[in-house]
Amino acid sequence: QVQAVESGGGLVQAGGSLRLSCRPSGFALDEHAMGWFRQAPGKEREGIVCSAWNGRNTYYSDSVKGRFTVSRDNANNILTLQMDNLKPEDTGMYYCAADPRPARIWGGFPKYWGQGTQVTVSS
């Protein structure tokens, strides 16, 4: 099955940090733009990060800019999301996604999705 596989979620206190990882299964990281989405209970899914295939162009939503940092290691086929200064409103299910076209990630309809990893930030 072609998908992205996330790991690294958990419970953390406000102000703390977590690092999420995403590994592609069945496709090559260096041929795809990658994104992170999140969905809080009762809210719509939100796109928060989009990284071009070469990692040179990365876009962050205003809600995470300055606190979250994405990095990609195409040689080792892994994408990471470093989340610092976490807030309770960052709580939600976090999904990794991939598509050859970055526009499809920002549009919210990437070709490949992960199953998600839960992030919970306590106040």
Side-chain angles (χ1 to χ4, degrees):
Q1 183 177 2
V2 181
Q3 64 177 358
V5 182
E6 306 97 336
S7 62
L11 172 65
V12 66
Q13 288 188 332
S17 298
L18 279 175
R19 177 175 293 181
L20 306 184
S21 296
C22 173
R23 287 188 179 273
S25 176
F27 66 92
L29 189 68
D30 61 0
E31 295 177 357
H32 291 75
M34 301 294 294
W36 286 95
F37 293 77
R38 66 185 182 187
Q39 187 167 21
K43 294 188 177 181
E44 292 186 356
R45 186 174 59 204
E46 173 190 18
I48 57 173
V49 181
C50 179
S51 170
W53 69 272
N54 58 7
R56 293 179 181 174
N57 296 309
T58 302
Y59 304 95
Y60 298 90
S61 68
D62 288 341
S63 60
V64 305
K65 194 177 298 181
R67 299 186 299 119
F68 290 12
T69 304
V70 70
S71 60
R72 59 193 295 156
D73 183 345
N74 286 343
N76 291 301
N77 230 24
I78 188 168
L79 181 81
T80 60
L81 182 66
Q82 177 67 37
M83 306 186 295
D84 298 317
N85 190 22
L86 283 160
K87 305 175 181 180
E89 51 264 43
D90 293 318
T91 294
M93 188 69 76
Y94 282 68
Y95 299 92
C96 181
D99 196 283
R101 300 180 181 181
R104 291 178 58 89
I105 292 180
W106 275 128
F109 45 94
K111 187 174 184 179
Y112 304 122
W113 287 95
Q115 295 188 344
T117 184
Q118 178 68 35
V119 171
T120 303
V121 184
S122 63
S123 58

